[in-house]
Amino acid sequence: MKKIFSFLAAVLFAGSMMATTVTKTVADLATELSFTNSEVCTPFALDEVIAVSTEATDANTGKYYSNGEQIRLYQTGAAKLILTAADGYKISSVTLEYASQNTGILVEAASGEAVAFENVQSATFTVGNSGSATNGQARITSFSVTYAAAEGGKT
């Protein structure tokens, strides 16, 4: 009986350590959350664990545009995209797909490439430029975030 209990405890523990990945396109989010064209749509939640927000010095960052189904982030506004896990969860990987305008990029993430983290509470991405322009844009088209309950479970 003790072996069965130990086995079940190990299975439950392993199950609690399993990662979850939430993936959403901006088109899906626009429908699900009723985004309005050319209006700021941030902050919002990808699911019950992952929140998306922006910080910038301009009022245009975080606006949704139906043309291209994008959330735009502007270099001129020193824009930051912030993904935050709820208490008791940690982010281990983020993949962002985005279109570049005026050679704008997310400094920490190439479009479509996963960025690994060491189980962080939040991940921040800043808009920069791959060239000499100072008016770049990163136009987010999809989010994919992998997370798990923090060691010791939810707090």
Side-chain angles (χ1 to χ4, degrees):
M1 186 67 149
K2 186 175 180 181
K3 287 182 181 181
I4 291 172
F5 178 75
S6 295
F7 175 73
L8 288 175
V11 168
L12 289 173
F13 177 74
S16 70
M17 298 295 287
M18 292 179 59
T20 299
T21 299
V22 58
T23 301
K24 301 246 178 133
T25 66
V26 171
D28 291 341
L29 289 164
T31 299
E32 179 183 325
L33 302 174
S34 302
F35 291 167
T36 302
N37 187 49
S38 74
E39 296 286 330
V40 173
C41 64
T42 58
F44 60 86
L46 290 180
D47 67 3
E48 65 280 351
V49 173
I50 301 298
V52 177
S53 62
T54 55
E55 289 181 8
T57 58
D58 70 338
N60 290 315
T61 284
K63 283 187 177 180
Y64 161 74
Y65 288 92
S66 59
N67 179 12
E69 298 293 345
Q70 305 163 336
I71 296 173
R72 297 185 186 175
L73 308 171
Y74 300 90
Q75 181 183 9
T76 55
K80 293 180 183 179
L81 176 72
I82 304 148
L83 304 169
T84 305
D87 287 343
Y89 293 91
K90 299 292 182 182
I91 296 169
S92 60
S93 176
V94 174
T95 302
L96 301 166
E97 291 190 18
Y98 60 91
S100 174
Q101 180 70 27
N102 301 328
T103 60
I105 59 169
L106 292 176
V107 175
E108 299 82 2
S111 180
E113 292 184 16
V115 178
F117 293 95
E118 296 249 355
N119 298 317
V120 296
Q121 185 76 33
S122 69
T124 301
F125 300 89
T126 54
V127 179
N129 207 288
S130 63
S132 59
T134 57
N135 64 340
Q137 298 175 26
R139 298 177 173 188
I140 309 296
T141 57
S142 74
F143 302 84
S144 185
V145 180
T146 301
Y147 62 89
E151 191 173 317
K154 285 177 47 180
T155 56

